[in-house]
Amino acid sequence: PEYWGKGYGREAINFAKKISYTRGKQNLILWVLEKNKRARHFYEKCGFNFDGIQNKVVIGIPLTELRYSYNLTF
């Protein structure tokens, strides 16, 4: 939490976008836990969108992860 809101996450996302684009990738994909509303909001602010794909996982308890994607065609 002490690093939240300082721009590190956005800088990392922008770096990933830039590197992926220069390597000819068209989309970025990430998975986030459905209950992690803070992370989901952050990714949405960075331009990622939930694409409707869900996955059930069990990490001690059953959880749902959501797939987010970002189109790199600038």
Side-chain angles (χ1 to χ4, degrees):
E2 70 235 44
Y3 298 105
W4 291 349
K6 299 196 187 265
Y8 302 127
R10 185 170 298 279
E11 190 171 326
I13 291 289
N14 288 337
F15 178 76
K17 288 177 181 178
K18 181 180 176 183
I19 292 298
S20 298
Y21 181 75
T22 61
R23 292 182 179 177
K25 306 298 180 190
Q26 293 183 359
N27 294 296
L28 288 176
I29 302 291
L30 62 84
W31 291 88
V32 62
L33 293 174
E34 181 179 37
K35 291 184 177 184
N36 192 343
K37 294 184 189 290
R38 182 179 180 90
R40 290 174 55 197
H41 179 72
F42 169 72
Y43 293 130
E44 290 164 4
K45 282 177 45 176
C46 290
F48 284 81
N49 295 297
F50 172 54
D51 64 11
I53 305 296
Q54 299 182 16
N55 188 34
K56 301 292 182 188
V57 295
V58 177
I59 308 172
I61 60 171
L63 299 168
T64 301
E65 51 184 9
L66 308 176
R67 190 173 80 175
Y68 275 68
S69 62
Y70 180 85
N71 187 330
L72 286 166
T73 54
F74 297 110

